[in-house]
Structure formats: structure tokens, C-alpha cells
């Protein structure tokens, strides 16, 4: 005889499953990181950032630090989107004060050097990190996994570094359509595998970050952003039919409507440029909305922070909403501003 369905007790998962909660659950992109003094102490224990990501004891502690300090409703796995290129065989390094450096893909021979499938063994420390976090995370706190979207990963893989306008990848996509499509297809399958393995290790939702989606005209956005994320969500659900997926296509404006309609994500992450009132009126109530406080308002504090939080709460009240930033926590964000935001959000919600 089948038992009764388990009642969901985690606020974040309640909302991801379509329930409107007030106050809304809250977590922050880049909630673990350089603005925390305990993170700085931890980071000094690893010789490089990639070593940090691949050391389960350190990565698990970094994942847990902001939950321990602030009581967020969800933890997000501490890792980096570039572990996928690394596990495909592309050389990845992080230079101090310079950001990521990769061996760029500029010709077909460079692409041919990549593995045909992502290396599960290379990523095994990530899955061990998830398992470690699960044993320590508070019972009411959810765990989120993630990956970078194929377009955003391709931007790094082709340029070999971060660029201001993603021109190297955009030119490559125009000049070498078939080869670029092959790279995107490889990244789609790698993302499906990676997210499925994260779910099997214990994450309860995943977020797909498409940080550079906003630089493309619509036809290119459709081909290199919409269609790949749609394929990832479909492929992931063939392996985990109830997978909870958040899509975060940064900077795409009203193309958010196409993204939500086409990709099949459960939740749509809004960047800070999206008007919460427009989003609340535009999207079906069955779609969870996440966001979208300006990270600089959090850094500024005071009335800017109060106004931003109140505006978001007012716009999304009565529908499934996850409170978050419109991008990641900035390194110079004062800790007391995060504390104030959480107190204000919860106190204002209780009125």
C-alpha cells in the first residue's frame, strides 16, 4: 500500500512547486563569496580557485557559510560554471585579479580536442560536495545546483576569457555556423549530464545561468539561447521527470516572454532591469518568478534598499515568488545591509 505524499516543509520548494508564500523564500546569487570574512579565511586554504571548487570539504563549507550566517531558505552549490569546459578537456585556470583563462577555441582542430562527453570522474568532487552539504544543511533549507547555459559557456570557451561584448563568440557564430552549432550541441549534452548527476547527488532544484544572453539580436538569441536551454530542460526531464528548473537569461528584456514560453522552466529569474509590476501582470501565475533587487541597492543600503525591497514585495504578493537579486552579491557589499534586508523583508511581510 502506497504511503501518503510527503508534505513539503521547505519554503523554497513550496514556491517552486507553485505555492504562493508570504514572506517569500529568499536566497541570493553569489551569496557565498568575497563579502564574507569567513569565506576569505577559507579561500586562503586552496592554492587556486579551481582547486577550491574541487576540494569537497572547502566547497561544502563555502556553500554552508551564508546559510549559517543569514538563515537563507536555500543554499546554492559552491562551484563555477567553467567546470563544464574543464570536464570537456579544455584547459581552464583562474588568474588572481584577472578572472578565468582558457585555451581559446579558434579553429576546428581546437574543437576536436574536446572530449565527446563530459568527464564524470573529473566532476566527482562536485558531487561529493553536494553529499557533504546535504548531511549538514538545516531541514528547512533547500539545496540548489546549477550550470552555465551553452551560449554563456561558449563565450568563454571561444574568447578564452571574459570580454565586454562577447564579440569573439558572436563573430565565430556568424562565420562558422556549423562548427559553432557542434559546440553548442556538445554543451547541451554536457549540461544535461551534469545537472542530472547533481540531482542524483542530492540537489532539489537547478538554475541555468545565461549571463550573456542579452548581447544577441533575436534570431541569434533564439538559436543559441532559447533552443539550447529548451533542449537541456527536455533532456533533463527525460532523466528526472520532476526536475525543478530555474532559468536566468540576463539582459534579454521582453524576450523573457519567449524564454518562459519556449523553455519549459519552472521559474524565471529576472535581472534588475525587469519591472516587477510588468512581470507580475505579464506572466501566468503558474510560472514562479525570482528576483530582482538591484545588487547596488543592497550595497547602498538605507532608503534605496528599503524602497527596492518594498517595491518587489508589493508587485509579487499573491503569486509564487522567490526573493533574490537581479544578479550576484557584489564583493564590497556590507554584511549589515544583507542583515537589514532580511529583517526588513520579514518584518514588512508580517505587517
Amino acid at each position: 500500500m502506497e504511503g501518503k505524499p510527503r508534505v513539503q516543509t521547505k519554503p523554497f520548494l513550496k514556491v517552486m512547486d507553485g505555492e504562493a508564500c508570504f514572506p517569500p523564500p529568499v536566497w541570493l546569487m553569489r551569496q557565498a563569496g568575497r563579502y564574507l570574512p569567513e569565506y576569505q579565511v577559507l579561500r586562503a586554504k586552496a592554492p587556486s580557485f579551481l582547486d577550491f571548487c574541487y576540494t569537497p570539504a572547502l566547497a561544502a563549507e563555502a556553500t554552508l557559510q551564508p546559510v549559517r550566517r543569514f538563515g537563507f531558505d536555500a543554499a546554492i552549490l559552491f562551484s563555477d560554471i567553467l567546470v563544464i569546459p574543464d570536464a570537456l578537456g579544455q584547459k581552464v585556470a583562474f588568474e588572481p585579479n584577472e578572472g578565468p583563462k582558457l585555451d581559446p577555441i579558434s579553429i576546428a582542430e581546437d574543437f576536436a580536442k574536446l572530449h565527446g562527453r563530459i568527464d564524470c570522474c573529473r566532476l566527482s568532487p562536485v558531487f561529493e560536495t553536494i553529499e557533504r552539504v546535504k548531511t549538514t544543511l538545516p531541514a528547512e533549507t533547500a539545496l540548489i545546483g546549477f550550470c552555465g547555459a551553452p551560449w554563456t559557456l561558449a563565450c568563454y570557451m571561444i574568447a578564452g576569457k571574459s570580454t565586454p561584448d562577447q564579440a569573439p563568440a558572436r563573430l565565430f557564430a556568424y562565420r562558422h555556423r556549423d562548427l559553432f552549432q557542434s559546440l553548442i550541441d556538445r554543451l547541451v549534452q554536457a549540461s544535461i549530464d551534469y545537472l542530472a548527476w547533481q540531482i542524483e547527488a542530492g540537489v532539489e532544484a537547478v538554475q541555468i545561468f545565461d549571463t550573456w544572453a542579452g548581447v544577441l539580436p533575436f534570431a541569434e538569441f533564439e538559436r543559441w539561447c532559447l533552443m539550447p536551454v529548451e533542449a537541456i530542460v527536455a533532456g533533463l526531464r527525460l532523466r528526472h521527470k520532476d526536475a525543478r528548473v530555474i532559468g536566468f537569461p540576463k539582459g534579454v528584456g521582453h524576450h523573457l516572454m519567449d524564454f518562459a514560453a519556449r523553455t519549459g522552466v519552472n521559474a524565471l529569474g529576472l535581472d534588475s532591469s525587469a519591472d516587477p509590476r510588468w512581470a507580475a501582470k505579464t506572466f501566468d501565475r503558474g510560472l514562479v518568478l525570482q528576483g530582482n533587487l538591484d545588487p547596488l541597492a543592497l550595497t547602498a543600503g538605507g532608503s534605496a534598499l528599503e524602497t527596492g525591497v518594498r517595491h518587489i514585495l508589493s508587485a509579487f504578493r499573491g503569486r509564487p515568488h522567490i526573493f533574490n537579486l537581479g544578479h550576484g552579491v557584489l564583493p564590497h557589499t556590507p554584511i549589515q545591509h544583507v542583515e537589514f534586508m532580511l529583517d526588513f523583508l520579514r518584518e514588512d511581510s508580517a505587517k
Side-chain angles (χ1 to χ4, degrees):
M1 180 178 177
E2 292 187 6
K4 293 181 180 180
R6 184 177 178 183
V7 176
Q8 184 55 253
T9 59
K10 299 183 181 184
F12 173 85
L13 297 183
K14 284 183 179 182
V15 172
M16 283 296 294
D17 292 341
E19 182 178 340
C21 297
F22 206 78
V26 57
W27 71 280
L28 304 180
M29 289 180 278
R30 293 183 184 161
Q31 64 189 23
R34 289 172 288 177
Y35 74 110
L36 296 177
E38 59 266 41
Y39 172 87
Q40 299 283 11
V41 172
L42 193 66
R43 174 65 185 85
K45 297 180 180 181
S48 74
F49 183 72
L50 206 55
D51 289 321
F52 190 17
C53 293
Y54 284 146
T55 304
L58 298 180
E61 175 62 15
T63 303
L64 291 164
Q65 282 178 344
V67 174
R68 194 180 295 131
R69 178 183 277 270
F70 300 116
F72 289 123
D73 294 292
I76 185 165
L77 168 69
F78 185 86
S79 186
D80 193 86
I81 64 170
L82 296 182
V83 298
I84 284 184
D86 181 64
L88 283 170
Q90 187 175 21
K91 185 178 179 182
V92 178
F94 289 82
E95 302 294 336
N97 302 315
E98 291 186 28
K101 300 292 183 183
L102 299 82
D103 285 347
I105 295 173
S106 56
I107 56 176
E109 286 75 10
D110 298 327
F111 175 73
K113 294 175 184 177
L114 298 178
H115 304 323
R117 296 290 289 262
I118 195 170
D119 183 354
C120 180
C121 293
R122 177 64 172 161
L123 296 171
S124 60
V126 177
F127 311 133
E128 183 182 335
T129 296
I130 294 169
E131 292 165 357
R132 284 173 175 257
V133 171
K134 289 288 287 185
T135 64
T136 309
L137 207 59
E140 68 277 9
T141 309
L143 179 58
I144 306 168
F146 71 93
C147 73
W151 163 251
T152 288
L153 293 178
C155 288
Y156 285 102
M157 295 174 77
I158 287 170
K161 59 183 180 180
S162 177
T163 57
D165 56 3
Q166 315 317 312
R170 292 162 64 191
L171 285 170
F172 194 100
Y174 283 130
R175 291 170 173 166
H176 310 289
R177 303 295 270 185
D178 291 343
L179 183 56
F180 193 74
Q181 184 68 63
S182 296
L183 175 59
I184 292 293
D185 291 344
R186 185 76 53 86
L187 291 169
V188 165
Q189 185 57 56
S191 301
I192 293 168
D193 288 339
Y194 184 42
L195 293 178
W197 293 334
Q198 289 184 49
I199 290 171
E200 288 153 20
V203 305
E204 296 158 299
V206 295
Q207 178 159 303
I208 302 172
F209 287 87
D210 213 348
T211 308
W212 304 123
V215 303
L216 294 172
F218 182 73
E220 299 294 285
F221 169 73
E222 182 177 38
R223 182 164 183 178
W224 307 129
C225 297
L226 274 183
M227 294 172 65
V229 173
E230 183 180 12
I232 291 169
V233 174
L236 181 60
R237 290 200 176 126
L238 284 175
R239 293 166 65 167
H240 298 283
K241 65 183 179 66
D242 297 321
R244 302 176 180 96
V245 184
I246 307 166
F248 180 61
K250 184 174 180 287
V252 302
H254 283 204
H255 294 329
L256 283 166
M257 293 183 287
D258 299 285
F259 186 92
R262 290 274 298 275
T263 60
V265 295
N266 304 85
L268 181 65
L270 305 173
D271 65 41
S272 300
S273 68
D275 179 357
R277 295 166 299 182
W278 167 83
K281 290 187 296 185
T282 300
F283 293 104
D284 186 274
R285 285 178 52 85
L287 179 69
V288 180
L289 297 177
Q290 177 179 277
N292 64 331
L293 183 71
D294 185 353
L296 281 171
L298 181 60
T299 302
S303 62
L305 179 54
E306 287 188 30
T307 300
V309 172
R310 187 173 283 123
H311 181 56
I312 290 166
L313 289 177
S314 174
F316 293 127
R317 186 161 190 168
R319 67 169 296 146
H321 171 237
I322 298 163
F323 193 94
N324 206 314
L325 301 180
H327 201 214
V329 179
L330 296 170
H332 50 285
T333 299
I335 287 173
Q336 61 267 32
H337 291 185
V338 180
E339 294 169 338
F340 175 85
M341 179 196 71
L342 293 170
D343 289 343
F344 182 78
L345 189 158
R346 291 160 180 160
E347 288 172 8
D348 191 72
S349 300
K351 292 177 182 178

